[in-house]
């Protein structure tokens, strides 16, 4: 079972940027879609976006044009570049496969955007 460790979160002002990382303990080369998810307080976890091995991406409307999620299969790492952050982006961010069945969820990384 691949373990996922997210990092890079923090406190940032609205309009700022953050880059999250997701390091996998095993190879992600065979996983077509790797996704980023987030869960805000009192809300369900939602898909932020995913990237396939072929570079195809799909993002939630709420982040489209602001977030990108490059992946480095050689480093077994997926990134989430977040620009023009808004207070409503405040959440715990997780990475996982883009489709079920998912790996065990990591601890996530907290992103807090102040207004």
């Amino acid at each position: 079972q691949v373990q996922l460790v997210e990092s890079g979160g923090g406190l940032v002002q609205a309009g700022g940027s953050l880059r999250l990382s997701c390091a996998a303990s095993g190879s992600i080369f065979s996983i077509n879609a790797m996704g980023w998810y987030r869960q805000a307080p009192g809300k369900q976890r939602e898909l932020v976006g995913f990237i396939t091995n072929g570079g195809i991406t799909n993002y939630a409307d709420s982040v489209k044009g602001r977030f990108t999620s490059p992946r480095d299969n050689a480093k077994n790492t997926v990134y989430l570049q977040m620009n023009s952050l808004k207070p409503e982006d405040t959440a715990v961010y997780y990475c996982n496969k883009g489709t079920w069945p998912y790996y065990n969820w990591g601890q996530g990384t907290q992103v807090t955007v102040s207004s």
Side-chain angles (χ1 to χ4, degrees), residues 25-80:
S25 62
S27 174
I28 62 171
F29 179 78
S30 61
I31 302 172
N32 187 35
M34 285 296 297
W36 281 93
Y37 303 78
R38 68 185 181 186
Q39 186 167 19
K43 294 187 177 180
Q44 289 190 332
R45 186 175 292 160
E46 63 174 355
L47 176 67
V48 174
F50 67 81
I51 181 168
T52 70
N53 264 327
I56 297 172
T57 58
N58 192 24
Y59 300 101
D61 288 343
S62 58
V63 307
K64 204 169 288 184
R66 300 188 297 122
F67 290 11
T68 58
S69 58
R71 63 191 285 173
D72 187 336
N73 287 344
K75 295 182 178 179
N76 296 320
T77 301
V78 184
Y79 304 94
L80 184 65

Side-chain angles (χ1 to χ4, degrees), residues 81-98:
Q81 178 66 46
M82 306 186 294
N83 300 325
S84 302
L85 282 161
K86 303 176 181 180
E88 51 263 44
D89 294 320
T90 295
V92 179
Y93 284 71
Y94 306 85
C95 68
N96 213 313
K97 295 161 74 173

